[in-house]
Amino acid sequence: MLYEYTLQTRKEDFTNITVKVKEAVGQSGIKDGICVVYCPHTTAGITINENADPDVVTDMLLGLEKAFPDRREFKHAEGNSTAHLKASFVGASQTVIVCEGGLLLGTWQGIYFCEFDGPRNRRFYVKVV
Ligand code: ZN
């Protein structure tokens, strides 16, 4: 089963998409399997991290900014090389085990769509097998 979702992002942010992914797993009817969450963009990605304290997302964005600063040496004409670097760092997808009809996530884990070059209209896919 393949599900497509769209979202409107801000300049740079993490959107918690856990509810959408759970919805896809529920609709699929699959009780035990694998769920892949995939981002088809080169300046956005998918990650799993803490869903309780919103400061974690703020700090992650700050940390990524420090780890991947804009550099004069970058040649990419579009001028968004830091966004490409951050997208590759977090990765384009996450895989979560489906067990007894639900996602096998830890108590504090949430699934996030990570925007690094917004605002844009984005989409992501959820495949449950
Ligand atoms: Zn680019």
Side-chain angles (χ1 to χ4, degrees):
M1 300 286 198
L2 179 67
Y3 301 90
E4 179 178 0
Y5 295 92
T6 57
L7 71 162
Q8 172 70 51
T9 62
R10 292 180 299 193
K11 186 174 187 299
E12 198 165 357
D13 66 357
F14 285 16
T15 303
N16 190 333
I17 58 171
T18 312
V19 168
K20 296 288 179 194
V21 180
K22 284 181 175 174
E23 179 186 299
V25 170
Q27 284 177 14
S28 76
I30 292 174
K31 301 297 179 200
D32 288 283
I34 294 289
C35 173
V36 176
V37 185
Y38 178 73
C39 166
H41 306 288
T42 61
T43 54
I46 305 289
T47 196
I48 294 175
N49 216 298
E50 180 170 325
N51 63 9
D53 180 1
D55 285 343
V56 171
V57 166
T58 303
D59 291 351
M60 286 182 71
L61 286 168
L62 182 66
L64 287 167
E65 198 60 47
K66 296 283 183 195
F68 302 106
D70 197 16
R71 303 181 67 94
R72 256 183 308 148
E73 302 92 323
F74 286 155
K75 297 189 180 332
H76 179 44
E78 197 182 6
N80 60 354
S81 289
T82 58
H84 288 291
L85 285 164
K86 292 170 188 173
S88 275
F89 180 77
V90 301
S93 69
Q94 290 289 327
T95 305
V96 184
I97 296 167
V98 176
C99 183
E100 297 176 354
L103 293 169
L104 200 58
L105 287 171
T107 305
W108 308 113
Q109 286 184 316
I111 305 168
Y112 290 91
F113 184 97
C114 311
E115 175 62 74
F116 299 115
D117 194 29
R120 293 178 192 252
N121 290 310
R122 298 292 205 177
R123 63 202 152 99
F124 66 92
Y125 296 99
V126 178
K127 176 81 176 176
V128 189
V129 291

